[in-house]
Structures are given as C-alpha cells and as structure tokens.
Amino acid sequence: MNNFNSFMLLAISLVLVVSLMILSDHVSVATNQTIPTQNGSIFANNSANILGNQSFPAFLNPEMYGTTNVTDHFKELMNKANKEGKVSVIVQLNIPFLAEGKIRNPLSILNQRQTINQTQNLLLGKLSSYNIDNVKRFASIPYMAMRVDAATLQSLNSSLLVSGIYEDRLLHPSDVTTIPLTGTGNAWNLGYNGSGQTIAILDTGVDKTHPFLTGKVVSEACYSAPVESGDTSLCPNGQTSQTGTGAAVPCSSSLAECFHGTFVAGIAAGSSATYLPGFAEGANIIAVQVFHEDDTVADCGSASQTPCIVASDSDILSGLEYVYGLRNSYSITAVNLSLGGSAYTSTSTCDLDNPDYESEFDTLQSVGIAPVVAAGNDGIVDALDAPACVSSAISVGSTDDSDDVSSFSDRASFLDLMAPGEDVISSVPGGGTATGSGTSFATPAVSGAFAILKQKNPSASVGTILSDLKSTGKSIYDSGSGLYFPRIEVDSAVESLSCAPPSSGDWTIPSSCIIPSTVTAPANVIVDSGAVLTVPDGTQLNIDFLQYHLLVKSGGGVLIKAGGAIN
C-alpha cells in the first residue's frame, strides 16, 4: 500500500447528477432567446464482489463495499445507451483521493498521480474488448471520461475499480457601470488593480486582439470533443484539443453566443484608455475554449437554434486541469465559470451529485485558486444551480444599479456573494462593446475582486479573501427570499484585508498589514521592503524559531504593540 494511503480518507460517493446548461443571460449583440434546460440522468454507484475473479490494485479494499445498486437513474442511463447506441459518461475511480494542495509530501502527490494513472490503465485493460471511444484521462483527480454502449456501461457498473458513473452532460452558453458602484476605482487609487495576478476564463474563447484585451492573454487552450455524429470541434486545429498561441480564439460569429467568453474576460480584466476598464484591469488572462458545435435539435432546444454550441462536463474538467497545471507558471487567482444547471437546495446534496466538480474545485482551492461560479438565472429564491452549489465553489448572484437583487438571479442561504450583473458594458469579438445582463456577468466581477485582493496579500487563502469580501460587502435585503446577501465592495475589502499565513511554505508579507488574531506561521516569515507587520494588543505571532526565521528586508518593519507578542 502506498504511504500516503495511511493518512487519506477513502471517499465513496453515491451520486445522482443532473444536467447542466450555461446560464441564459441576455446580451444585446445576440438574439434574445431562452435556452431550455437539458434533462440528463446519471448512473449507479457500484462496488460489489460481483466479479469474483477480477483483479484490482492492492490499494483497493473490496470488503469495504456493498452490492451493486441499480438505481432508477442508472436504468435511465442504460435506456439512453440502448436507444442511442452509446452514451458519454464520466467514471469515478474507486481509490483514495486528497486534493494535491493538502498533501505536503511531493512524493505522496506523485504516488497519488501514479495510482490514478495505474487505475485508469487497469480499467481500460478490463474494457479492451468492449466498445468504447472518446476516452479522456485526468491526471490530478480520480476520474476519466468515455463514450460507451450498454454492455460497457453494465460492466462499469459491476467493476470494483469504479465507485460512480455520471453522464457527461452538455452545457449551453448564456447570454451600470459597475466599477464605481463597487468601490473598485477606489481600490485602484489605493494601488491595487490585480497587477501580477492571472484570471482563467473557461468559456467560448477570447478575442485577444480586442483593444480592451490587447496583451492580456498569456496562455491558451481548447477542449472541444464532438460527442455525436454531426458534432464539430471548434478548436482551430480541428482536433479535440489544442494548446498554445491561437488555441482559444472565439468560435465563429455565425454561431449564437460565441461572444460570451470575450464579454466575460472584459469584465474580469479588460483595460484600455478608450474603453471602460474591467475590475482587475492590471491582471492577465488564461483563455480556455471548452465548447463544440452541436447539430442535434434535442441538444440545442429547437430547429431554429440548431446548430448551437455546447460544452461537455469532461471538456470543462479538462480545462480546469489545464489551469491547475499552470499554477507554478502564473499567479492564478481565480477560474471563472459562467455555467449552471439543475438547482439544489443544499450543498450536501449538490456535492453528492457532483463529486467530479467538487474534487476539481477542492484541488484548485488547495493551491489558492478560487473557482468562481454563476448562481443561475432562473429567479429561484431557495436554491443554486450546479456547480455553483458545490461546497468548494464561490457562488455569485446578481444585483442591479439600485442594489436590488436581480429578478432573474438564483439565491439561497448558502449563496456566497452578490455583484452587479445588470446592464453591464463589456467587450465583444471584433473590437466593439455591448451591454448584457445575467449572473454570468456578475461572476467575473468577483473573479476580478479576488485578483485585486490577492495582489495586496499574495499569501491569503481563498477562504480568507472570501471571508473578507463577505464581511465588508454591502448588506442587500432580498424580499423574495427574506435573506440578506453581501454585495462586494472592493475598496473596503482591500482596506480591511488582514494578514493571513498560507497553509504551508514561507509567509511573505508584501504590504503593511495587521494580524487580526493569534496566528502560527508554517515556515519563515518574510517582511518585504516598505511593508510593516503589526501585532496588536491581545494577539501573537507564533514562529518555530528552532526551524524558521523572521526576516525583515531593508525598509520593512515589525511593530509589536503593548499586549502583543511574537513567540
């Protein structure tokens, strides 16, 4: 058994995943249309001593599992496979897993990746005689995607190597001057505009030649695997994936909603002397195009809307893993996801039904990257769309210029933040601008706010920044739900952001800050030139001086007030 298994918890998920679609926002440059919810179904938990002679890795413990549970949802998935010949699924591997940022030993991270890879190999070996295609493997989370027939689906459902089977669903793209309203201009005046930070935009591609976005895009990728006959990849090379310069150009303007990614990118980080600036005007962008062209009326909603563009869960997960792989090359603050699906009234049921997104979001959060997700545009007052409802997502609803909750915005007691999302002006492909409304367009405002705050305190965790935005946000009363929600006020958040040590590694303090309570540094504490670290009355900074040091660079300082201490 690998060493890391001794401290990792084994997660067994019974999952019922519903279909997703990108939020039905509306923008003046696109035809106003209502996109119908795509009804999907999912699959079975399984893990049983059914295949008595089946070999499995030493790290699996078959005695911990019960019998195969053929649920109604699995029957629906089987019916779809029988009717259509094949169905696209995401398979959860039956192995222990912990988000890599929570594993301190690099060898244990390598071991976990090897375990994922070996289990994928073993499962594919078991399926070598079955009819499968469109296989996608993930390196950092225990999942893989494939298109299978009914016989293969039944084999997966009986395999000890598999703990969950999910439909690889299709998502549809969606369709004020918010800077003064949120105090973002004041944050710029304080010296914080997101400089040095990078925001990933998983969407329909970004027009990097737009004057609003010139020089902003630092990395590009495309994941666009056709699912059925008649589907077409939208990657420029015509393949199912592409990385490198030019990979994330927007899809053709002849397809509705291809403006969406450029619009979202402009809100998050656009910058120009001619155009209205985005929130984090100093930040850069990682552009990832995750849509393909679909020629199926059932997927597009009507004949008049066909062909359309859709994104599969597996392509989105591939995009998220691409961003995670760049974490050491760029200071990535947030991943922006303006997409959603069926609503959930609690994070617990949402997590059970969406463990693939939960695993990926946990992994991103563990290395300081915030997954920022739109809440949904169905006007629901007690639920959020998936994957915004996932416990490790930063969920965002929309308000108008009068600080009323937008009538179209979903909200619930577990919604994290509100941001202006009505009549937002931003960039569209070809060099122009347009006005749009939707939680899709409130979401990049929060992604930009994260970049601004991370600039002030690079060591701040996702949780610390979220807490700061919540505590300093303007409280907005929603008469529909009877709840209050925090609408971001970026300048207040910048001014109040407290010192917060990272979960591991050296704690570098680039600008003056005051620790809010007793904290323990995980390693060395480094106070940069021009910064002052203040330890107020009643607090203390704990450092293990037998192993680590407090280093104050020239021009920096440490102020210990009466009643404070450094131990």
Side-chain angles (χ1 to χ4, degrees):
M1 180 177 291
N2 293 321
N3 292 334
F4 74 96
N5 290 341
S6 62
F7 61 83
M8 294 177 62
L9 296 177
L10 180 61
I12 308 168
S13 298
L14 297 175
V15 289
L16 297 174
V17 177
V18 294
S19 65
L20 298 180
M21 68 175 191
I22 283 202
L23 308 172
S24 53
D25 302 323
H26 304 286
V27 165
S28 56
V29 296
T31 301
N32 249 354
Q33 57 185 346
T34 301
I35 309 271
T37 301
Q38 303 296 301
N39 293 321
S41 55
I42 309 265
F43 44 59
N45 179 52
N46 34 55
S47 26
N49 294 312
I50 290 178
L51 303 181
N53 60 353
Q54 174 169 304
S55 60
F56 48 87
F59 47 78
L60 291 179
N61 181 2
E63 294 180 358
M64 294 183 67
Y65 301 93
T67 58
T68 300
N69 181 15
V70 182
T71 65
D72 290 339
H73 301 278
F74 180 72
K75 292 177 182 177
E76 291 173 9
L77 198 56
M78 284 290 291
N79 288 338
K80 185 172 184 178
N82 285 319
K83 179 180 178 181
E84 300 179 8
K86 282 189 173 182
V87 63
S88 296
V89 296
I90 295 176
V91 178
Q92 182 179 19
L93 303 176
N94 185 11
I95 56 176
F97 171 73
L98 189 65
E100 289 184 353
K102 299 177 182 179
I103 305 173
R104 304 192 65 170
N105 184 344
L107 180 59
S108 295
I109 294 175
L110 177 61
N111 286 341
Q112 177 165 275
R113 288 197 172 213
Q114 289 175 339
T115 298
I116 292 171
N117 182 66
Q118 290 167 1
T119 308
Q120 290 170 340
N121 288 340
L122 187 55
L123 182 59
L124 289 174
K126 295 293 182 183
L127 299 176
S128 60
S129 61
Y130 286 87
N131 185 9
I132 67 172
D133 55 28
N134 290 1
V135 175
K136 301 172 189 176
R137 302 170 65 141
F138 304 107
S140 60
I141 59 173
Y143 294 85
M144 61 191 308
M146 61 187 71
R147 198 164 67 113
V148 301
D149 60 12
T152 311
L153 191 61
Q154 188 63 62
S155 179
L156 288 169
N157 191 55
S158 301
S159 175
L160 287 169
L161 300 173
V162 175
S163 64
I165 309 170
Y166 314 79
E167 184 170 9
D168 190 357
R169 303 154 299 183
L170 299 178
L171 295 81
H172 291 254
S174 44
D175 180 341
V176 164
T177 49
T178 59
I179 300 302
L181 182 65
T182 58
T184 304
N186 293 333
W188 298 341
N189 293 334
L190 292 171
Y192 303 104
N193 65 357
S195 293
Q197 307 304 308
T198 303
I199 300 169
I201 307 293
L202 268 64
D203 215 290
T204 63
V206 174
D207 180 5
K208 64 182 179 181
T209 67
H210 194 290
F212 205 26
L213 301 167
T214 301
K216 289 280 186 177
V217 177
V218 296
S219 184
E220 298 179 68
C222 175
Y223 297 94
S224 180
V227 176
E228 300 173 346
S229 175
D231 291 357
T232 305
S233 170
L234 294 176
C235 292
N237 65 0
Q239 303 301 306
T240 59
S241 65
Q242 181 179 348
T243 59
T245 302
V249 296
C251 49
S252 171
S253 59
S254 64
L255 295 168
E257 310 294 351
C258 284
F259 70 89
H260 194 267
T262 302
F263 198 93
V264 168
I267 297 168
S271 178
S272 171
T274 305
Y275 294 90
L276 290 171
F279 273 72
E281 63 170 355
N284 287 324
I285 293 168
I286 295 171
V288 185
Q289 202 289 113
V290 293
F291 288 84
H292 67 267
E293 181 179 339
D294 192 311
D295 198 39
T296 305
V297 174
D299 294 336
C300 296
S302 70
S304 64
Q305 295 171 334
T306 306
C308 62
I309 58 173
V310 296
S312 65
D313 286 328
S314 57
D315 279 339
I316 294 167
L317 292 169
S318 293
L320 291 172
E321 191 161 76
Y322 173 78
V323 172
Y324 177 70
L326 295 175
R327 66 194 181 282
N328 295 323
S329 300
Y330 305 100
S331 178
I332 305 172
T333 302
V335 178
N336 194 95
L337 295 169
S338 293
L339 49 90
S342 296
Y344 288 79
T345 57
S346 73
T347 56
S348 58
T349 53
C350 181
D351 287 350
L352 285 174
D353 286 3
N354 298 274
D356 44 359
Y357 282 103
E358 183 191 12
S359 295
E360 195 65 71
F361 290 171
D362 285 348
T363 297
L364 290 167
Q365 280 226 35
S366 73
V367 294
I369 302 173
V372 185
V373 191
N377 290 335
D378 303 309
I380 303 172
V381 299
D382 61 353
L384 304 182
D385 284 358
C389 55
V390 171
S391 59
S392 44
I394 310 302
S395 54
V396 183
S398 172
T399 56
D400 63 18
D401 283 351
S402 300
D403 272 335
D404 293 321
V405 174
S406 300
S407 60
F408 55 76
S409 180
D410 290 354
R411 58 269 203 196
S413 60
F414 52 96
L415 177 73
D416 289 312
L417 297 166
M418 289 281 185
E422 290 195 43
D423 299 325
V424 181
I425 300 171
S426 189
S427 47
V428 292
T433 60
T435 301
S437 297
T439 57
S440 285
F441 309 139
T443 303
V446 172
S447 294
F450 264 82
I452 289 171
L453 293 170
K454 200 65 178 281
Q455 179 192 358
K456 178 178 182 183
N457 187 353
S459 64
S461 67
V462 173
T464 296
I465 293 177
L466 176 59
S467 177
D468 189 56
L469 286 169
K470 284 183 173 181
S471 64
T472 60
K474 180 178 179 179
S475 183
I476 305 296
Y477 178 70
D478 172 40
S479 59
S481 64
L483 300 171
Y484 287 88
F485 299 101
R487 193 266 292 148
I488 60 169
E489 290 201 329
V490 183
D491 53 349
S492 297
V494 165
E495 291 175 340
S496 72
L497 185 63
S498 58
C499 299
S503 58
S504 62
D506 290 343
W507 179 14
T508 299
I509 300 171
S511 58
S512 298
C513 60
I514 303 171
I515 65 171
S517 60
T518 296
V519 297
T520 299
N524 297 306
V525 177
I526 304 169
V527 182
D528 278 351
S529 177
V532 176
L533 171 63
T534 300
V535 184
D537 179 26
T539 68
Q540 64 183 37
L541 169 61
N542 297 319
I543 303 173
D544 183 356
F545 285 109
L546 294 178
Q547 301 185 66
Y548 305 113
H549 306 280
L550 172 60
L551 306 174
V552 183
K553 294 184 178 181
S554 176
V558 176
L559 174 62
I560 306 173
K561 294 191 174 182
I566 296 180
N567 296 320

